[in-house]
Amino acid sequence: MNNYIAQLNESQKEAVLHKDGPMIIIAGAGSGKTRVLTYRIAHLMQQGVDSFNILALTFTNKAAREMKKRIAEIVGQSEAKNLWMGTFHSVFARILRSESEKLGFPSNFTIYDTQDSVRLLSSIIQEMSLDKDKYKPKQVLGRISQYKNSLITVKAYYTNPELLEADRMSGRPKMGEIYKNYVDRCFKAGAMDFDDLLLRTNELLTRFPDVLGKYQDRFKYILVDEYQDTNHSQYLIVRALADRFENICVVGDDSQSIYAFRGANIQNILNFQRDYKEVSIFKLEQNYRSSQTIVNAANSVIENNQSKLDKTIWTQNDKGDMIKIMRTLSEGDEGRFVASAIFEDQMRHQLSNDQFAVLYRTNAQSRAIEDALRKKNIDYKIFGGLSFYQRKEIKDTLAYLRLILNPNDEEALKRVINYPARGIGDTTMNKLTVAANELNKSIFEVIENIDVVNLQLNTGTKNKLRDFVLLIKSFQAEAQTLNAFEIAELVLKKTKLVRDIEKDGTPEAISKVENVQELLNGIKDFIEVQKEKEEDDSLAVFLIDVALATDLDNDKDDKPRVSLMTIHLAKGLEFPHVFIVGMEENLFPSAMSMNTRSEVEEERRLFYVALTRAEKQVYLSYAQSRYRWGKLVDCEPSRFLEEIDEQFVQQIAPKQPQFKQNSFIDSDIFGETPPETVRFKKPIGVKRKEAPKPIKKASPVQGNFKRMHQVKMDIPEGPFATKLKVGNFVIHGKFGKGEVLAIEGNENDQKAEIKFENGEIKKLLLQFAKLKIVN
Ligand SMILES: Nc1ncnc2c1ncn2[C@@H]1O[C@H](COP(=O)(O)OP(=O)(O)OP(=O)(O)O)[C@@H](O)[C@H]1O
Ligand SMILES: [Mg+2]
């Protein structure tokens, strides 16, 4: 044990030592919120609280692991063992595993990841013969996710005229039916999607008071990190669980709330003081992470937000280097700039790759950065791409494992019933799906009864189906005695899956086989770790972990690498040197989020998060032109660049003023002393409208629904007007709101056929129509 209290300042100490009762710590970035939470847990344990009675909810699995490690260092490994720590999803997935039968789900329920959900929705939309352009599976899933996170069940949906109207207006009158089918199909398949993990937990705690009582008793102390990004569903779970003892400690920063688009509700912070009578409020103001320059620059940016709580951060750290702003010609140049700057910094200061992070607004931006880093042989790791577990060969293998535990898992079955090929084609699958829907059985159950269900299949097909069921059943029998690793090995051998991959003979095939091998290693690792921790090492637990794993969790590789990720993913993390790329209007702030003040404020908070990840140095870059939507567009520097107080920034320029595209000279990006120290200037002649205030204040619960069909006025013209697509909703000055049914003609005489709210259909010449897109 070490003297951890000595590692805290006075305000932090107060929060850590505070007695029982509800408490909230609201503080700016890098002020030690996460440290306080961690030490508070250690302290509680030292005061005799049983680790079994503590629940800590973090934003990532990785954060939970790090916290647990730190606590173990203070109180000892065996003491820390029983702590419940993890993300909302992982903690409640585990609870549901022991309670799901009460809700009619098998205990080995499957967790559908986004890919599974999208596939299921695709088939439902197809079975309902709906237009896939109107009902885009991903968008439909997003909408369902919003319902679920606001606790709107299918029944509640149908009794909510506002929602019905909103979906009707947005041209998706069948949303309710899709939602119902989706929920039914998941239920029949014994599957929960990500949002169900929260929704069903809420259901469990509401419908079964004894279960609620059990967990209320168990979790005498509840602590939540990044509270500003909890959604309504999460909020209710925490509230219910904390209701008995009210020993709830939440930490957050309203200035870092960046998930409103996914239903997070900044109100939860404000409500906290309303929900609990005697709340102790703590503020931390000293930042330990960043240089003075970075802290002050971040403060100057967030100043521009109207809606924020009153708090500041300051630091005793060194003044540090100025924030450097770099203008580049194109995204290619931007990539080269980043790679060269990293290279130079490394040469000058002997820094390793892992001291650097490149942050961007959208995943697509990584490509140019990756290309440039590869050219310079700088190792990097990209977070947020296709995670290991989402690769096809891995998903195929996992699908077999999922079926062993839960043969009703429809998505897993569809994935592998004919892979490797066994002659079970689409026609057969369609017949099976229809029969399953009619009989209200799973596809697997239909196949099990293939002799009694009259499906008009020939004997050959029936035999193939029977063989498949037998194969899965034989695995199930073996699973009684084999562990997760052995069963996975057996599956690979019997299904000849690896052989099927190898058949291809390409280099990709080799890497796919390696991936499958890596999966086996992963399972082996998992078993060992669980054994060591004396925790459940069953296949079921492995599959829960896998379903909820993100590639942020997967940092086994010990080679130091530059981290590449979106700003959203970087929340809570820190790096000595941070590049924030793509500082351009319509990219950051995003074109999708510039229509209301609250949207721009969320983008600004995102920028605040980005800046405050850095310890020593921030580089900001923007390109003068960039390929977007397949077209080269001129870019305007981001408004956020101007918002940084000028005393903290320095524009750096390439040494060769006239360098051409693709002729970038690596070692000469900027000299020892930057060529000039100038205030970033907005290009002359560019005018920008400040986003107006939202028209209507959204209610906390249904904020997002309102937002979806809320009229957004004053959208700047430009890429919007030319990007008009069929299915878009638009506002016309005279005719009001309408939906684009068709677009014809090109360039100057392009016309759109629009159906307006009053039922009239009009054909308008786009050049003059002054339409504003609203979705
Ligand atoms: N009293 C302290 N003395 C020294 N270092 C500290 C102290 N408090 C926090 N730190 C360090 O400062 C950094 C930021 O702390 P931490 O991550 O806990 O802040 P945070 O408020 O959670 O930040 P964020 O808002 O980004 O989540 C960490 O490296 C942490 O170890
Ligand atoms: Mg933190």
Side-chain angles (χ1 to χ4, degrees):
M1 189 189 69
N2 52 17
N3 187 6
Y4 58 96
I5 300 292
Q7 297 165 20
L8 299 166
N9 67 29
E10 281 309 309
S11 337
Q12 291 175 332
K13 207 183 295 175
E14 256 182 60
V16 167
L17 302 180
H18 181 72
K19 57 181 181 12
D20 290 357
M23 59 187 282
I24 181 163
I25 302 164
I26 307 173
S31 58
K33 295 183 293 299
T34 304
R35 178 181 280 213
V36 164
L37 210 69
T38 313
Y39 287 17
R40 184 168 167 79
I41 295 170
H43 181 69
L44 285 171
M45 290 169 64
Q46 296 218 313
Q47 296 298 299
V49 176
D50 190 337
S51 59
F52 187 81
N53 294 130
I54 300 176
L55 166 67
L57 296 163
T58 57
F59 186 68
T60 59
N61 296 318
K62 186 170 176 243
R65 275 200 307 273
E66 277 166 13
M67 237 186 215
K68 204 164 187 177
K69 194 168 143 235
R70 186 76 196 99
I71 293 168
E73 281 165 16
I74 299 171
V75 299
Q77 185 70 43
S78 59
E79 293 294 314
K81 213 180 61 196
N82 282 326
L83 278 168
W84 275 61
M85 276 198 173
T87 61
F88 275 88
H89 289 96
S90 68
V91 165
F92 296 108
R94 296 230 172 155
I95 289 184
L96 283 171
R97 209 169 96 73
S98 30
E99 311 289 346
S100 58
E101 280 167 3
K102 296 191 177 63
L103 301 171
F105 281 85
S107 65
N108 282 338
F109 67 86
T110 302
I111 299 174
Y112 275 177
D113 66 12
T114 310
Q115 230 180 65
D116 296 322
S117 300
V118 169
R119 280 168 70 129
L120 174 57
L121 279 168
S122 285
S123 35
I124 290 173
I125 290 164
Q126 195 179 343
E127 286 159 32
M128 289 173 68
S129 310
L130 295 171
D131 179 356
K132 273 223 164 116
D133 284 332
K134 268 214 175 119
Y135 293 91
K136 293 200 172 78
K138 265 197 188 147
Q139 280 175 9
V140 171
L141 180 64
R143 190 95 174 117
I144 290 177
S145 167
Q146 288 179 341
Y147 303 151
K148 287 186 175 172
N149 282 323
S150 305
L151 261 51
I152 296 167
T153 56
V154 173
K155 204 166 144 205
Y157 174 87
Y158 276 114
T159 51
N160 187 328
E162 212 178 315
L163 285 181
L164 288 165
E165 174 65 6
D167 281 332
R168 204 178 56 75
M169 278 301 291
S170 66
R172 299 192 196 109
K174 296 278 186 194
M175 261 314 293
E177 224 173 294
I178 301 179
Y179 185 24
K180 180 174 187 312
N181 285 341
Y182 177 72
V183 170
D184 289 350
R185 286 279 272 277
C186 285
F187 186 74
K188 211 169 64 182
M192 298 199 200
D193 69 12
F194 288 153
D195 302 312
D196 284 333
L197 296 176
L198 304 177
L199 181 75
R200 297 289 184 185
T201 301
N202 266 304
E203 186 188 341
L204 181 76
L205 300 181
T206 324
R207 274 180 51 201
F208 302 93
D210 54 322
V211 176
L212 173 62
K214 182 168 88 184
Y215 289 102
Q216 280 178 333
D217 271 347
R218 169 161 191 174
F219 299 131
K220 293 198 168 67
Y221 289 85
I222 300 175
L223 303 99
V224 188
D225 199 3
E226 308 276 5
Y227 190 67
Q228 76 280 357
D229 279 324
T230 46
N231 62 32
H232 189 60
S233 193
Q234 292 167 327
Y235 161 81
L236 289 178
I237 294 172
V238 169
R239 224 188 117 180
L241 288 178
D243 204 40
R244 183 162 302 172
F245 294 102
E246 297 203 343
N247 288 326
I248 164 126
C249 167
V250 303
V251 312
D253 177 5
D254 58 305
S255 299
Q256 294 186 68
S257 161
I258 53 175
Y259 279 97
F261 75 101
R262 270 209 331 224
N265 193 345
I266 207 166
Q267 274 310 105
N268 292 344
I269 285 197
L270 308 171
N271 288 349
F272 195 84
Q273 297 170 42
R274 187 202 63 194
D275 292 344
Y276 301 95
K277 264 176 254 110
E278 279 167 38
V279 183
S280 304
I281 302 171
F282 295 85
K283 290 195 171 172
L284 309 175
E285 296 192 329
Q286 182 170 358
N287 172 299
Y288 288 89
R289 176 181 297 146
S290 315
S291 70
Q292 273 179 37
T293 302
I294 295 168
V295 166
N296 293 334
N299 279 338
S300 70
V301 168
I302 206 69
E303 272 297 290
N304 292 283
N305 270 10
Q306 280 179 1
S307 78
K308 63 178 175 359
L309 300 173
D310 186 26
K311 63 178 164 39
T312 44
I313 41 167
W314 59 275
T315 185
Q316 272 177 350
N317 291 345
D318 288 347
K319 188 154 177 271
D321 286 342
M322 298 277 246
I323 291 181
K324 298 197 168 83
I325 298 181
M326 176 74 181
R327 171 174 51 96
T328 65
L329 282 179
S330 62
E331 57 195 322
D333 266 339
E334 185 177 52
R336 285 185 283 275
F337 157 68
V338 170
S340 303
I342 291 176
F343 185 80
E344 291 222 348
D345 275 354
Q346 288 184 331
M347 290 296 118
R348 262 191 226 141
H349 309 292
Q350 312 295 312
L351 304 172
S352 58
N353 286 336
D354 54 0
Q355 310 248 315
F356 297 88
V358 185
L359 309 181
Y360 33 79
R361 179 68 183 82
T362 61
N363 273 312
Q365 287 167 258
S366 73
R367 193 204 39 83
I369 312 289
E370 287 182 74
D371 287 351
L373 290 174
R374 260 199 312 272
K375 282 211 178 97
K376 278 211 160 310
N377 285 325
I378 298 173
D379 292 321
Y380 63 87
K381 184 164 167 51
I382 183 155
F383 296 89
L386 209 53
S387 111
F388 176 77
Y389 294 109
Q390 259 147 32
R391 296 183 187 155
K392 182 180 178 304
E393 62 279 12
I394 302 301
K395 282 209 87 169
D396 291 339
T397 313
L398 290 172
Y400 278 104
L401 302 181
R402 278 162 56 173
L403 273 183
I404 294 170
L405 288 185
N406 171 18
N408 294 336
D409 181 338
E410 183 177 330
E411 291 313 300
L413 179 123
K414 282 185 175 165
R415 211 167 228 292
V416 293
I417 192 162
N418 199 31
Y419 182 75
R422 7 182 117 78
I424 302 172
D426 285 351
T427 324
T428 308
M429 279 316 287
N430 287 342
K431 284 184 185 165
L432 289 170
T433 310
V434 171
N437 285 345
E438 271 170 13
L439 299 168
N440 202 20
K441 296 257 178 259
S442 73
I443 296 179
F444 194 85
E445 287 166 328
V446 174
I447 305 177
E448 272 181 313
N449 294 296
I450 203 74
D451 291 324
V452 280
V453 186
N454 184 14
L455 276 189
Q456 293 175 341
L457 296 170
N458 62 37
T459 320
T461 307
K462 279 188 186 169
N463 284 340
K464 285 169 194 159
L465 291 169
R466 269 190 218 107
D467 286 349
F468 180 73
V469 165
L470 275 179
L471 179 74
I472 301 299
K473 287 198 167 163
S474 74
F475 291 146
Q476 284 176 328
E478 298 277 9
Q480 304 291 325
T481 50
L482 300 181
N483 71 23
F485 174 75
E486 292 159 339
I487 195 79
E489 247 188 350
L490 183 77
V491 165
L492 291 172
K493 205 166 115 206
K494 283 241 174 113
T495 59
K496 305 194 176 70
L497 199 140
V498 173
R499 203 185 295 171
D500 192 84
I501 302 173
E502 279 170 341
K503 222 169 47 194
D504 207 19
T506 59
E508 288 80 42
I510 297 170
S511 104
K512 282 181 183 172
V513 172
E514 282 169 1
N515 285 340
V516 174
Q517 188 55 49
E518 185 54 37
L519 175 68
L520 286 179
N521 296 342
I523 301 179
K524 210 170 211 171
D525 254 17
F526 163 82
I527 292 176
E528 271 162 30
V529 171
Q530 295 295 95
K531 278 222 171 86
E532 209 171 282
K533 291 196 290 186
E534 292 168 43
E535 278 180 23
D536 190 349
D537 66 352
S538 66
L539 184 56
V541 173
F542 175 75
L543 288 178
I544 289 184
D545 279 2
V546 161
L548 300 174
T550 63
D551 42 13
L552 208 55
D553 299 323
N554 200 2
D555 51 5
K556 267 200 228 138
D557 187 356
D558 44 12
K559 217 175 185 186
R561 290 169 187 278
V562 175
S563 296
L564 268 59
M565 66 185 91
T566 62
I567 304 167
H568 279 101
L569 266 190
K571 200 167 62 137
L573 306 180
E574 53 192 20
F575 305 90
H577 302 259
V578 171
F579 290 81
I580 307 167
V581 298
M583 293 298 306
E584 296 139 33
E585 286 290 299
N586 291 326
L587 185 55
F588 193 21
S590 154
M592 320 279 271
S593 311
M594 284 166 63
N595 305 323
T596 62
R597 172 174 281 282
S598 65
E599 283 179 355
V600 175
E601 292 204 346
E602 175 143 326
E603 293 286 305
R604 191 175 283 116
R605 290 194 292 271
L606 197 54
F607 185 46
Y608 176 81
V609 169
L611 285 172
T612 53
R613 298 310 95 203
E615 295 165 13
K616 298 197 167 82
Q617 175 75 68
V618 174
Y619 291 95
L620 303 170
S621 58
Y622 64 98
Q624 285 174 285
S625 63
R626 170 185 306 272
Y627 275 97
R628 305 205 64 197
W629 313 292
K631 262 168 66 183
L632 191 66
V633 293
D634 285 340
C635 307
E636 184 189 341
S638 169
R639 68 186 69 188
F640 298 146
L641 292 173
E642 290 169 75
E643 290 175 3
I644 310 172
D645 189 327
E646 60 188 284
Q647 56 178 310
F648 307 119
V649 294
Q650 171 184 60
Q651 181 123 337
I652 55 172
K655 253 189 176 173
Q656 277 72 18
Q658 291 298 315
F659 70 93
K660 287 195 206 92
Q661 205 161 342
N662 301 328
S663 68
F664 212 72
I665 298 167
D666 292 327
S667 53
D668 273 340
I669 301 185
F670 48 90
E672 274 299 325
T673 343
E676 46 176 348
T677 302
V678 289
R679 166 74 182 128
F680 164 79
K681 285 206 176 55
K682 195 168 72 169
I684 296 161
V686 178
K687 276 200 200 125
R688 188 186 301 124
K689 288 180 200 160
E690 190 57 52
K693 285 187 181 168
I695 283 121
K696 227 164 142 189
K697 199 163 179 289
S699 79
V701 180
Q702 290 174 5
N704 273 32
F705 297 107
K706 292 242 172 86
R707 204 158 65 154
M708 278 187 75
H709 65 276
Q710 178 181 305
V711 177
K712 290 170 187 166
M713 309 288 275
D714 231 341
I715 296 172
E717 251 113 272
F720 291 97
T722 54
K723 286 306 291 176
L724 196 67
K725 282 203 220 91
V726 173
N728 276 159
F729 286 83
V730 292
I731 294 284
H732 184 274
K734 191 165 155 207
F735 307 121
K737 195 170 171 199
E739 186 192 354
V740 179
L741 301 179
I743 296 180
E744 57 188 44
N746 39 28
E747 299 228 5
N748 288 345
D749 64 350
Q750 204 168 39
K751 286 182 198 137
E753 190 178 58
I754 298 165
K755 182 169 181 191
F756 287 100
E757 277 167 314
N758 61 6
E760 277 189 72
I761 297 180
K762 295 207 177 298
K763 223 176 234 185
L764 302 172
L765 204 55
L766 286 184
Q767 206 183 353
F768 303 112
K770 290 227 165 85
L771 295 168
K772 322 227 172 201
I773 301 178
V774 286
N775 66 341

